[in-house]
Amino acid sequence: MKRSVVLLVLLAAAVVLLAQEKSPITVKESTVMTGVVVVTAEMAGRPLELQCNQSMAACTALKPGEYWMVRLPKNHGMYDCANVDLFPKSADPETSEKIGEYCLTQK
């Protein structure tokens, strides 16, 4: 019985990891407006907007450049929206610490 519970937990963890989608993005600029960090970015030529609350520990105003964006599974993350984690382009998102967590808004 213990083996099947452990196997079920490992299978569930694998499904969550596979559900994450990694994409390269280009950050154009970051601005701070009344406690909200707004990051303007582009993915495959399409504009994106990322937002986070400046008071949160995982909220960073990013410098322009290349990053990895990892979409979190539904109902994961701190915001009530599509949550994403950002990593430096030179890092491996599976083994590196995230730069920040944001709410994704596609324009």
Side-chain angles (χ1 to χ4, degrees):
M1 181 67 180
K2 282 185 178 181
R3 281 188 170 171
S4 40
V5 169
V6 170
L7 183 60
L8 183 62
V9 168
L10 290 175
L11 181 62
V15 167
V16 167
L17 289 176
L18 290 175
Q20 296 179 347
E21 178 186 329
K22 177 176 90 169
S23 307
I25 68 166
T26 303
V27 170
K28 301 297 182 186
E29 67 176 341
S30 295
T31 57
V32 180
M33 294 182 274
T34 38
V36 177
V37 174
V38 178
V39 178
T40 304
E42 192 174 88
M43 180 177 68
R46 294 187 358 234
L48 299 174
E49 186 175 274
L50 307 171
Q51 297 181 4
C52 62
N53 295 327
Q54 190 177 25
S55 61
M56 303 301 284
C59 182
T60 306
L62 300 171
K63 295 179 181 176
E66 302 291 319
Y67 296 88
W68 285 114
M69 180 178 75
V70 177
R71 292 176 190 250
L72 301 179
K74 187 173 180 148
N75 298 325
H76 284 77
M78 65 179 78
Y79 301 107
D80 190 24
C81 61
N83 285 266
V84 297
D85 288 341
L86 290 184
F87 299 86
K89 184 69 173 192
S90 60
D92 179 8
E94 293 181 23
T95 58
S96 300
E97 190 172 323
K98 66 184 174 186
I99 295 173
E101 185 171 331
Y102 303 85
C103 179
L104 171 66
T105 306
Q106 292 187 336
K107 291 186 173 189

